[in-house]
Amino acid sequence: MNSILTILPKSEIEIEITLSPDEFAPHLKTAVSLISEKVNIEGFRRGKAPYDAVKNKIGEHAVYEEAAELAVRASFPAVREQLIQAGKLSAEHPAIGRPEVTITKLAAGNDFTYKIKMAVLPSVALPDWRVIARKSLADKKEQVVTDEEIEKAIQWLAESRMTLVAATRLAQHGDHVEVDFEIRHDGVKIAEGDSRNHPLVIGQGKFMPGFEDALIGMGINEQKSFSLAVPPDWREASVAGKNLDFAVTMKAVQERIMPAITDEFAKGLGEFETLAGLKANIREGILAEKKEKESQRRRGMIIAAIAQQSKMELPAVLIAGEIEKMTAELKSGIADLGMQWPDYLLHIKKTEEELRVGWQDEAQNRVRAALCLREIAREENIVPSEEEITARADQYLAQFKKADGATKKIDTAELRDYTQGILRNEKVFALLEDTK
C-alpha cells in the first residue's frame, strides 16, 4: 500500500493511496459476501453466492464500487497512522470537516487508487504573546460604583415591591392603567392593532411616543380618539413613519404606592438589618459585575491582539462552522425573546444568507482567537485535570436539572470536551493576565 501526501493552501492536504490487486482482493471478497446477503441470487443461500454469480446478477462495476468503499474505510486510517509515524502528518493537527474522496482508478486486475482531500487544524505561528499581554494589561481600568448606581438599584427593588391601589381620580403620570385600544391606518385596522385590558405605566415610555401622554387626564370608562405620527425608525417596521389613528377606552387607573426606603424596608428583604447593610451588599454586587465585564473586555482585547499578529492559514470549513454557531446563537437568543426567526429577519430587512455573508470577518476573528488559545495551551502544557473537568461538568449538569431535567439528552462525551475547552481557556487567560 503506497501513499503520496500533497500539502495544499489554506491548511488542506491531499493523500493519494494505491492498493495492489492482492491488497484489494480481501475487500472484493467481503463485498461479494455482503451483496449476496442483501440480494437474492437463485440457487445460493444468502451470503454464500460466489463472485461470478453476484457479478452476473448486479454487474461487475457495482461489485467493485462496493469493494472500493470497503477498501477506503479500511485503508485510510492505516495510511494516516503511517504518515504520522513517518513525521509527515502531525497528530496535533487532526482532520476537520468531511473528507472529499475521489476514486481515480478502479478496474479488474489493476491497482486501486483513490485520493482523499481534507482540511486539517492549521498550524499557528504565535507572536511574542507575553509582550502583547503586558501591553494590553497596561490598559486596565479600575472599577468604581457610584452612589447614583446604588440608588437606582434601590429604586428598582422598591418598585418590585410596590402595591397598586385603585384611584378615583383621573389618570396621571406614574399611574398603572389598563386600556382597550384599536389602531387604524387610513381607516383600516392594522395587523395586531387592538388589545383589551392592556396594562402599562404612564411615563415609562414602553409604547410609541405620545400614546402614554394622551392617557393623562382620562377617567374610568372614558373614551378618547387621537392620532400619532410614528417615528421613521420605530422598532415595528410595518408602521414606522406612518400616521396612525387610535381609539382608546380607559378600563382601570391604579396608583403605584412605593414602600419607604428605610431600615424596615431592608429587613423585609430577609438578609439585612439596616439600609446601610443593603446598600453595602448592592455596592459589592455591582462592583463584582463590573469587574467581570472589565475582565472579559480585557481578555478579549489581549487575545484579539495576539490573534491579529499570529500567522495561520484558515480552512474554509472552520469559518463555515463558526458561522453556523453564530447563526444558532442568534436564533436561540431571538427565540428566548419570544420572536420568530422569519419575523426577526423581516424586522431587520435582511435574509439569513446576507447575515452569514456579513459575519465572515467576525467568524474569522473568532476562529483565529480560538486557535491562538489552543496553541498557547499546547506550548505551555496547560491541561485541566480530570478532577477539574468532572467537577465543572457536574456543575453544568446540575444547572440542566434545575432548568428542565433534560440531562438524559446530554451527550456526556461532548460535555466533557466542551468543559475541557472552557477550563483550558480559563487557565490560558489566567496566564495571560499574570504575565510579568
Side-chain angles (χ1 to χ4, degrees), residues 126-419:
L126 293 169
D128 190 334
W129 50 267
R130 289 180 175 82
V131 171
I132 294 174
R134 283 195 293 270
K135 288 181 179 179
S136 298
L137 289 172
D139 185 49
K140 182 177 180 180
K141 298 177 181 178
E142 292 300 323
Q143 301 302 304
V144 296
V145 180
T146 66
D147 291 341
E148 182 181 354
E149 289 173 313
I150 295 174
E151 291 304 320
K152 185 176 180 181
I154 291 286
Q155 186 64 26
W156 181 87
L157 287 171
E159 288 186 1
S160 69
R161 285 157 178 78
M162 71 177 178
T163 55
L164 298 176
V165 178
T168 56
R169 54 172 172 73
L170 302 180
Q172 63 185 33
H173 188 279
D175 282 345
H176 178 278
V177 301
E178 292 182 10
V179 295
D180 293 347
F181 65 80
E182 185 175 279
I183 310 173
R184 292 180 175 271
H185 175 61
D186 289 340
V188 180
K189 188 175 73 172
I190 67 173
E192 300 181 1
D194 62 344
S195 183
R196 296 292 177 265
N197 299 315
H198 190 92
L200 59 91
V201 175
I202 299 177
Q204 284 191 341
K206 293 186 177 180
F207 219 90
M208 62 183 59
F211 181 84
E212 294 171 19
D213 291 339
L215 304 181
I216 295 175
M218 290 183 67
I220 301 297
N221 295 322
E222 181 179 345
Q223 297 180 346
K224 186 175 184 180
S225 297
F226 54 90
S227 299
L228 293 174
V230 184
D233 58 350
W234 185 244
R235 59 178 177 265
E236 298 297 335
S238 60
V239 297
K242 295 180 179 179
N243 291 317
L244 301 180
D245 300 316
F246 292 80
V248 179
T249 301
M250 181 65 69
K251 304 296 290 185
V253 178
Q254 295 173 308
E255 185 177 356
R256 300 161 72 231
I257 306 298
M258 306 293 290
I261 309 300
T262 63
D263 288 343
E264 291 303 314
F265 171 74
K267 290 178 182 178
L269 297 175
E271 299 179 8
F272 312 99
E273 290 298 321
T274 65
L275 181 59
L278 172 60
K279 289 184 176 182
N281 182 268
I282 291 174
R283 183 183 296 275
E284 182 180 329
I286 295 176
L287 183 60
E289 183 179 351
K290 284 190 168 187
K291 285 183 175 180
E292 176 61 23
K293 287 183 178 179
E294 169 60 14
S295 174
Q296 294 301 323
R297 183 197 70 83
R298 196 168 59 248
R299 287 180 172 187
M301 184 175 61
I302 293 172
I303 197 60
I306 293 172
Q308 186 178 26
Q309 297 183 42
S310 297
K311 294 180 180 179
M312 63 188 83
E313 291 190 358
L314 298 182
V317 66
L318 274 183
I319 307 300
E322 192 62 33
I323 289 177
E324 286 297 327
K325 286 167 55 178
M326 293 167 70
T327 304
E329 289 169 3
L330 181 57
K331 285 184 176 180
S332 177
I334 294 301
D336 289 344
L337 293 173
M339 186 182 296
Q340 298 294 320
W341 180 243
D343 294 338
Y344 172 76
L345 294 176
L346 183 64
H347 176 68
I348 64 173
K349 299 179 181 179
K350 285 188 177 183
T351 65
E352 183 171 320
E353 182 58 30
E354 286 173 334
L355 283 176
R356 290 170 176 266
V357 171
W359 287 338
Q360 286 286 331
D361 289 344
E362 184 181 351
Q364 180 170 312
N365 290 338
R366 287 171 59 160
V367 170
R368 290 179 66 88
L371 290 173
C372 287
L373 287 169
R374 182 181 185 276
E375 183 62 16
I376 293 172
R378 188 193 68 79
E379 284 188 0
E380 298 299 312
N381 195 29
I382 296 175
V383 181
S385 68
E386 288 299 323
E387 291 79 8
E388 290 173 317
I389 295 172
T390 299
R392 181 66 65 86
D394 287 345
Q395 290 178 9
Y396 291 143
L397 289 172
Q399 292 174 2
F400 275 104
K401 287 178 181 178
K402 290 180 181 178
D404 57 12
T407 53
K408 291 182 180 179
K409 300 178 182 178
I410 298 173
D411 187 314
T412 54
E414 287 186 5
L415 177 61
R416 186 192 180 284
D417 290 343
Y418 169 79
T419 304

